[in-house]
Amino acid sequence: MSNIGYEYYYLSGRDIPLKKYNLGVIKQLTLNNFIDYEMDINEFIQPFILSKNIMLNKSDNIDKLLEHIKDLSFLFLYEQLTNYSIISNLLKSLAMIYDTDNVYVDKDNIAIIVIDKSTTNKYIINDDNFSILSTIVCEMNGIDRSKVTKIEPKKEMSDIEREFERRRQKYQQLQQQNKANKSDEHTMLDIANIVVHFSGLTYSQVFDMTIYQLKNSFRLLAKKDSYMVNLLHRISQKFDTSKEKFVHWTDEVKLDISSLNLKD
C-alpha cells in the first residue's frame, strides 16, 4: 500500500505505475516528445477527454442510446456514426505514452491491446479500465476531466447519425472557445516561451519538461508576477489598495490532489 498520490509522479515527471489497473506503466510526455511524434497536443488528448457525458442532453434519443455504454465503447460508436477517426487518434496517443509501436484494436472484445516493447507484456485496455487511464492522462497533462464543458444542443433531432455529427462539430468549436484549463488560454509554445524568459531555464531545459511541469511552472510564475505587481501598488501612493485582498503568492500555487490514489 502506498501513502503517496499520483500528484507526486506528475510533479516529478516520473513514469506512472498503473499495474493495479492492469495498465502497466505509462510515461509522461515532454514538449520534445510531441515534436518527435509529430503529434499535436490537442489531438493527443482528445480521445481521453471525449466521453458520453459531454454528449448528454436530458433524455433525447442520444441519451437513451448512450445510457448503458461505457467510455471506450462510446468511442467506437462515435467513430462509427461520425466517420471521425477517434480510435486511430487514440492508438497514436497510446503508442506515445506506452512508448511502443505495437498497439492494435481487438474488435471482437471492444478492446485495445498494447504490447510493451521491452518486456513483451500485454495490456488490455477495455471498458473496465479506460476511464481510469483517461483520468490519469488528463491529470498528467494538467487537465481536470470533470470540468470539460458539456455540450447542450439547442434542439433534439430524430436522425441519430446527424445528431452525432452536429454534436461533434459543436464539441470541436467549444474546445477552441472554452479551454479545459486556464493556462490553455495560451498555446503550449506560448507557455514554453514565457517560462524560458522568466525562469532562467534554457530552451532545451524547458522543452524537456513534461506538460504538467510546464503548465505548473507557468502558473507559478504568473502568480509570482501578479503578487509583485500588487505589492508595488500597495507601497505606491498612486493606488488605493485598502479594499483589495492581499495574499502571498505561495498560498495560491498549491497543487491539486489527484482524484485517484495509489492505495489498494
Side-chain angles (χ1 to χ4, degrees):
M1 181 182 295
S2 175
N3 292 321
I4 65 173
Y6 285 110
E7 60 273 9
Y8 283 75
Y9 289 87
Y10 303 151
L11 190 61
S12 71
R14 294 176 60 174
D15 292 347
I16 302 173
L18 299 175
K19 295 178 181 178
K20 63 180 289 187
Y21 303 111
N22 298 317
L23 290 168
V25 177
I26 63 173
K27 75 171 190 175
Q28 300 192 66
L29 302 175
T30 67
L31 211 50
N32 273 327
N33 289 143
F34 285 95
I35 297 174
D36 293 337
Y37 283 96
E38 298 183 345
M39 183 71 160
D40 178 78
I41 295 177
N42 292 325
E43 291 181 3
F44 164 82
I45 202 69
Q46 188 181 40
F48 303 106
I49 292 179
L50 183 58
S51 70
K52 69 177 185 180
N53 293 330
I54 294 174
M55 298 289 186
L56 297 178
N57 183 47
K58 298 180 180 179
S59 300
D60 63 6
N61 289 340
I62 298 299
D63 288 3
K64 294 175 182 178
L65 180 65
L66 298 178
E67 185 176 0
H68 301 294
I69 294 180
K70 294 186 178 180
D71 285 351
L72 187 58
S73 291
F74 167 74
L75 291 186
F76 280 95
L77 177 63
Y78 184 87
E79 177 167 291
Q80 180 182 356
L81 294 178
T82 64
N83 293 319
Y84 182 73
S85 55
I86 193 72
I87 297 300
S88 176
N89 199 2
L90 175 59
L91 295 179
K92 293 178 183 177
S93 298
L94 292 173
M96 292 173 68
I97 60 176
Y98 281 99
D99 192 24
T100 180
D101 295 326
N102 202 346
V103 182
Y104 60 92
V105 174
D106 179 356
K107 294 183 179 180
D108 294 333
N109 296 299
I110 311 180
I112 295 177
I113 310 300
V114 177
I115 307 296
D116 189 305
K117 69 179 182 182
S118 59
T119 65
T120 68
N121 288 337
K122 180 170 72 172
Y123 307 117
I124 302 174
I125 300 172
N126 53 33
D127 278 330
D128 293 329
N129 56 24
F130 181 67
S131 181
I132 296 292
L133 181 62
S134 295
T135 297
I136 292 290
V137 172
C138 285
E139 286 186 349
M140 78 182 196
N141 283 280
I143 295 173
D144 185 344
R145 193 168 179 240
S146 67
K147 293 182 180 179
V148 177
T149 306
K150 291 185 179 181
I151 294 173
E152 298 292 344
K154 294 180 179 179
K155 63 179 181 179
E156 179 179 337
M157 297 178 66
S158 58
D159 190 307
I160 292 179
E161 290 190 20
R162 288 179 56 203
E163 180 68 348
F164 257 76
E165 174 61 18
R166 188 185 70 78
R167 295 189 186 190
R168 182 184 72 80
Q169 293 176 359
K170 183 71 173 178
Y171 169 74
Q172 290 181 323
Q173 293 172 3
L174 288 175
Q175 286 301 98
Q176 295 300 318
Q177 298 170 5
N178 303 310
K179 301 300 184 179
N181 187 287
K182 290 183 180 179
S183 64
D184 287 338
E185 293 173 2
H186 298 78
T187 68
M188 287 309 303
L189 284 183
D190 291 332
I191 291 174
N193 195 31
I194 291 170
V195 171
V196 165
H197 290 90
F198 282 87
S199 67
L201 298 173
T202 66
Y203 285 103
S204 296
Q205 289 172 323
V206 168
F207 272 72
D208 277 335
M209 295 171 70
T210 67
I211 301 304
Y212 182 93
Q213 291 171 335
L214 196 51
K215 285 185 175 182
N216 183 61
S217 295
F218 173 77
R219 184 173 67 96
L220 188 147
L221 289 170
K223 291 294 184 181
K224 286 181 66 176
D225 182 67
S226 177
Y227 172 80
M228 293 306 299
V229 170
N230 288 336
L231 182 60
L232 291 174
H233 283 178
R234 294 183 78 85
I235 62 178
S236 172
Q237 297 180 353
K238 294 181 180 180
F239 301 94
D240 180 12
T241 60
S242 59
K243 296 181 180 180
E244 294 182 9
K245 184 179 179 181
F246 190 62
V247 180
H248 196 270
W249 65 270
T250 55
D251 292 328
E252 296 188 310
V253 294
K254 295 180 179 179
L255 296 173
D256 292 332
I257 303 301
S258 174
S259 60
L260 302 171
N261 62 64
L262 291 167
K263 296 181 179 180
D264 295 328

